[in-house]
């Protein structure tokens, strides 16, 4: 049962047959009789999950009798009927309670008589008794005495079942690779038991195998073949209610991923903007002929009957908080390591939860650190971290996100929630779904070669993990294509509620389209349509359909479109999805405005002041956006400004007028639309903090910030409702904490006020840039 070992057995052959019905027994006996081998014997394979199976004793005696005997596992693989050239289970099978991969005895008789090609006898990889015993002693025997014959027989039984599983997925394809006997394999491992003893020695109480077994029952999952066929189809039925049924891929990226999955186990790490993401990814992997990935999800999603169903669909439910349970952490780490060692693919959102603002969130490292442990332990020579970008033209969930931003509580998941979510997909057409697979990240490249010894937690290791996770997130962001709704909502948000005609929107898009083409930034096919009035009109109509964020007024001389105050937060979700593409330019614009500001010390070197401010802006925005390291950031920013004028540095040193002239030449000006909401949100938090004491209640600060923000909107002290967001205020508190403004100190009040002054200076410069952009926009609209 080890395909890497040559067959050198000189004894008889023992066929261990997995038999569940008399039909299978007859088929297997007929098959073995046709084998031209001396001393052939067929024995029923004991149930590996049944410790008291009486067949174990008989098998143990046979295994002891001849160390050279060749053990060959066999069983009957039942195949679905062929439909449209494919053998797959269908939704109708699930509806009538039929599983074509596990037919009833009556169905088996019918298949064997009428469709014998659907009953395939398969033999797993053989091994001699001596080879199996050596492997058992290395991995599953504690070394005491000669070992229990029944224990060895149980081991052989497990290896036989796993060998048959490999034979099945060789027949059926990689899409059907699924773990079996995970609990039994892990609990019987000498490695696992030794670790459990070490854990006991470091803490009070004892960790029994029974405790660990219950945790593995909670974790263990596996794709049933029925669900491997059904879930992608069912998922597609859900998302095609509101989206085009054909997912948009890059075919070259798909082929690269397919090749990579054959070399190393992969962790598929995807961007998370919708509850549809996992359904979309499952369908994408399936229809491109790739093995399924086992999806990690929060145990809060295991409600009602969904828990058992989703476990059969490859979902691994984990507890939300495991910090106070070292046994659970140990079992989870070993479970992840086992899946990695057996080359099963894993999957979860790199962000840990949905982005409710439209842009990617900072990566979470918890599960990734467990995978890194498995790699460093030598359980794989490399692990491929595969970034996946999943994006949508529109989402019905943005209304929910806007409510969260306004301070509403998250609704708990349940069957009612699920039904409502599915129904919402059919309210209107939301456009297309885009899936991109950028270049994978090698764990070996970031962590070095594995040495079989798990590295202790250290600053160097944590830094390597952070860099690795940010590289995955960076590649995901850069691969996400800009779509037409994002560009159109950006234009409409920029004019702060003013309604625009079709021609005005079309003209306002020209600079952004030229910028994207010049930079070769990935875009969707819908963006090409924005070069024509018809394409712009189609996008405006889609955004102003029922439930959309755009308001369409058609009762005047000509139709106009706008985003009113009530829909600004929802529309910002689409705008935020493209900010990363314009971020370098926006930071450059703000740094130029800083140097042009007459309040900057005239004795300061202008170029030095520019770079100091650019790096400061990078620091202020690091909780919102992904940045490369400082040197790469400087190089990208310099290249960005050089596109507008190769002599930009000389103009910076030449004084205010030259800098303002350079700003006039930058098209489009991105800072006001892209960055203002974030700095306004931060300034509101800083404003509230000036009234707080040394000890604060963060939730209370956010509530007060929401109130102050609404006041400032009413007083026109801020231009829109966008920054009045609990989500942005949460990031603002992170930034304040990073700046040392949440912990008590003698000069805390003074430093908080200085931070507010700094942010208001940034906002003043955004005002100056916006004035330039506004004058130019209305001038262009009037003259073109």
């Amino acid at each position: 049962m080890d395909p890497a070992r040559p067959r050198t057995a000189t004894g008889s052959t023992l066929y261990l047959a997995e038999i569940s019905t008399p039909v299978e027994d007859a088929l297997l006996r007929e098959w073995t009789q046709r084998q031209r081998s001396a001393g052939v014997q067929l024995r029923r394979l004991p149930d590996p999950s049944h410790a008291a199976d009486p067949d174990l004793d008989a098998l143990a005696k046979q295994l002891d009798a001849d160390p050279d005997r060749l053990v060959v596992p066999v069983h009957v693989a039942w195949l679905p009927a062929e439909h449209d050239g494919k053998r797959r289970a269908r939704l109708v099978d699930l509806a009538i309670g039929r599983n074509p991969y596990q037919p009833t005895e009556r169905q088996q008789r019918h298949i064997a008589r009428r469709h014998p090609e659907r009953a395939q006898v398969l033999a797993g990889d053989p091994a001699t008794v001596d080879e199996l015993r050596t492997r058992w002693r290395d991995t599953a025997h504690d070394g005491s005495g000669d070992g229990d014959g029944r224990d060895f027989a149980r081991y052989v039984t497990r290896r036989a079942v796993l060998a048959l599983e490999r034979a099945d997925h060789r027949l059926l394809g990689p899409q059907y690779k699924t773990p079996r006997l995970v609990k039994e394999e892990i609990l019987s491992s000498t490695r696992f038991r030794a670790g459990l003893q070490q854990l006991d020695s470091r803490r009070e109480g004892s960790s029994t195998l029974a405790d660990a077994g219950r945790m593995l029952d909670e974790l263990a999952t596996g794709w049933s073949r029925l669900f491997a066929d059904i879930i992608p189809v069912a998922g597609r039925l859900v998302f095609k209610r509101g989206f085009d049924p054909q997912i948009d891929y890059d075919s070259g990226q798909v082929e690269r991923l397919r090749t990579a999955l054959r070399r190393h186990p992969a962790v598929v790490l995807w961007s998370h903007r919708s509850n549809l993401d996992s359904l979309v990814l499952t369908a994408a992997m399936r229809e491109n002929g790739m093995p399924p990935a086992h999806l990690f999800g929060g145990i809060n999603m295991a409600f009602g009957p969904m828990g058992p169903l989703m476990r059969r669909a490859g979902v691994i439910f984990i507890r939300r908080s495991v910090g106070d349970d070292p046994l659970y952490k140990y079992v989870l780490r070993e479970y992840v390591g086992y899946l990695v060692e057996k080359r099963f693919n894993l999957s979860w959102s790199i962000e840990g939860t949905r982005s409710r603002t439209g842009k990617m969130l900072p990566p979470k490292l918890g599960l990734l650190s467990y995978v890194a442990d498995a790699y460093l332990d030598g359980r794989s020579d490399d692990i491929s971290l595969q970034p996946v970008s999943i994006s949508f033209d529109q989402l019905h969930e943005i209304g929910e996100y806007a409510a969260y931003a306004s301070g509403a509580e998250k609704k708990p998941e349940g069957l009612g929630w699920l039904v409502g979510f599915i129904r919402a997909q059919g309210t209107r057409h939301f456009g297309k779904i885009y899936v991109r697979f950028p270049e994978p990240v090698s764990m070996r490249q970031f962590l070095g070669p594995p040495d079989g010894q798990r590295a202790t937690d250290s600053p160097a290791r944590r830094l390597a993990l952070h860099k690795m996770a940010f590289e995955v997130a960076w590649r995901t962001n850069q691969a996400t294509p800009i779509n037409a709704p994002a560009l159109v909502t950006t234009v409409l948000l920029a004019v702060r509620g003013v309604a625009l005609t079709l021609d005005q929107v079309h003209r306002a898009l020209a600079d952004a389209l030229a910028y994207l083409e010049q930079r070769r930034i990935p875009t969707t096919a819908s963006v090409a349509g924005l070069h024509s009035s018809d394409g712009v009109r189609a996008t405006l109509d889609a955004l102003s359909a029922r439930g959309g964020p755009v308001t369409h007024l058609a009762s005047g001389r000509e139709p106009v479109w706008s985003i009113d105050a009530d829909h600004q937060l929802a529309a910002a979700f689409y705008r935020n999805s493209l900010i990363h593409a314009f971020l370098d330019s926006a930071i450059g614009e703000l740094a130029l405005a800083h140097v042009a500001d007459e309040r900057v010390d005239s004795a300061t070197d202008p170029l030095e002041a520019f770079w100091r401010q650019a790096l400061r802006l990078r620091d202020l925005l690091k909780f919102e956006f992904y940045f490369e390291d400082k040197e790469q950031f400087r190089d990208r920013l310099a290249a960005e400004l050089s596109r507008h004028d190769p002599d930009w540095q000389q103009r910076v040193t030449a004084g205010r007028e030259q800098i303002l002239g350079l700003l006039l030449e930058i098209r489009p000006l991105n800072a006001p639309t892209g960055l203002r909401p974030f700095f306004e949100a931060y300034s509101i938090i800083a404003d509230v903090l000036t009234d707080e004491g040394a000890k604060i209640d963060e939730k209370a600060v956010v509530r007060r910030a929401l109130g102050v923000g609404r006041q400032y909107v009413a007083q026109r002290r801020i231009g829109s409702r966008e920054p009045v967001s609990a989500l942005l205020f949460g990031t603002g508190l992170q930034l304040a904490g990073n700046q040392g403004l949440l912990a008590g100190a003698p000069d805390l009040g003074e430093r908080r006020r200085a931070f507010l002054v700094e942010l208001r200076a940034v906002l003043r410069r955004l005002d100056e840039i916006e004035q330039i952009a506004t004058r130019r926009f209305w001038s262009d609209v009037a003259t073109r």
Side-chain angles (χ1 to χ4, degrees), residues 624-695:
E624 299 287 358
F625 303 102
Y626 298 120
F627 292 102
E628 296 171 295
D629 64 36
K630 290 183 180 180
E631 288 304 313
Q632 291 173 310
F633 170 76
R634 286 174 63 105
D635 290 344
R636 284 175 62 91
L637 184 52
E640 172 65 25
L641 291 174
S642 294
R643 288 191 319 101
H644 300 288
D645 186 346
D647 298 323
W648 70 271
Q649 295 186 67
Q650 287 82 355
R651 296 179 70 175
V652 167
T653 59
R656 175 178 170 82
E657 294 304 317
Q658 283 291 319
I659 295 171
L660 293 177
L662 180 56
L663 280 171
L664 282 168
E665 295 169 16
I666 294 176
R667 286 179 175 268
L669 284 167
N670 301 292
T673 305
L675 299 183
R676 178 185 289 280
F678 302 101
F679 284 113
E680 285 185 332
Y682 298 167
S683 70
I684 292 171
I685 283 291
D687 195 351
V688 171
L689 285 176
T690 60
D691 296 328
E692 297 289 323
K695 293 183 178 181

Side-chain angles (χ1 to χ4, degrees), residues 34-45:
R34 294 198 301 267
Q35 307 309 304
R36 297 181 179 179
S37 301
V40 170
Q41 193 172 13
L42 181 71
R43 172 166 291 281
R44 189 185 73 84
L45 183 67

Side-chain angles (χ1 to χ4, degrees), residues 166-315:
R166 289 194 297 271
D168 282 351
H169 77 71
R170 282 197 293 266
L171 171 69
L172 298 170
Q175 305 94 311
Y176 296 92
K177 182 180 180 182
T178 183
R180 289 185 65 183
L181 306 179
V182 173
K183 176 183 176 181
E184 293 81 0
E185 285 280 283
I186 292 177
L187 292 183
S188 66
S189 164
T190 53
R191 167 200 177 90
F192 181 82
R193 295 186 183 196
L196 202 59
Q197 290 178 351
Q198 291 179 5
L199 182 65
D200 284 345
S201 68
R202 295 195 300 266
R203 71 188 190 102
E204 295 181 3
S206 62
S207 304
T208 67
L209 283 175
D211 295 330
R214 283 189 288 272
M215 291 175 180
L216 284 170
D217 286 334
E218 184 180 296
L219 290 167
T221 185
W223 283 94
S224 74
R225 288 167 192 152
L226 174 65
F227 277 84
D229 288 340
I230 296 303
I231 289 298
V233 175
R236 185 175 288 280
L237 287 178
V238 172
F239 64 70
K240 80 175 186 179
R241 284 169 56 84
F243 294 90
D244 289 351
Q246 183 58 48
I247 299 172
D248 186 287
Y249 304 107
D250 181 309
S251 59
Q253 293 177 354
V254 169
E255 184 55 40
R256 181 178 62 206
L257 175 56
R258 191 183 290 116
T259 300
L261 291 177
R262 290 194 288 265
R263 291 197 299 264
H264 300 289
V267 180
V268 181
L269 299 167
W270 34 277
S271 60
H272 197 7
R273 291 181 172 86
S274 168
N275 281 312
L276 292 172
D277 292 328
S278 60
L279 294 177
V280 170
L281 181 61
T282 298
M285 299 286 280
R286 174 69 180 192
E287 68 185 25
N288 286 293
M290 291 180 278
H294 296 273
L295 171 68
F296 285 88
I299 203 164
N300 60 299
M301 297 298 290
F303 51 82
M306 294 306 296
L309 290 175
M310 293 173 74
R311 282 188 172 93
R312 299 300 291 158
V315 178

Side-chain angles (χ1 to χ4, degrees), residues 470-531:
F470 271 87
E471 182 64 25
V472 171
W474 169 266
R475 295 186 189 188
T476 303
N477 227 18
Q478 297 304 304
T480 301
I482 307 302
N483 60 39
L487 285 165
V488 170
T489 51
T490 298
V491 166
L492 293 175
L493 284 169
V495 294
R496 301 197 189 190
V498 175
L500 300 179
T501 65
L502 176 62
D503 184 59
Q504 288 171 336
V505 175
H506 186 201
R507 291 183 179 187
L509 288 166
D511 288 338
L513 293 172
Y515 180 88
L516 294 173
E517 290 175 0
Q518 185 180 14
R519 291 275 312 276
R520 297 184 179 180
I521 292 171
T523 59
T524 67
S526 61
V527 170
L530 296 180
H531 287 285

Side-chain angles (χ1 to χ4, degrees), residues 19 122 126 185 214 225 257 327 332 337 344 359 378 442 444 487 532 583 647 669-670 675 695 713 726 729 757 770:
I19 299 171
L122 297 182
E185 285 280 283
R214 283 189 288 272
R225 288 167 192 152
L257 175 56
L327 176 60
L332 177 59
F344 289 104
K359 60 179 185 54
S442 163
R444 188 183 188 93
L487 285 165
S532 70
L583 185 58
D647 298 323
L669 284 167
N670 301 292
L675 299 183
K695 293 183 178 181
V713 170
F729 292 155
V757 169
E770 186 169 21

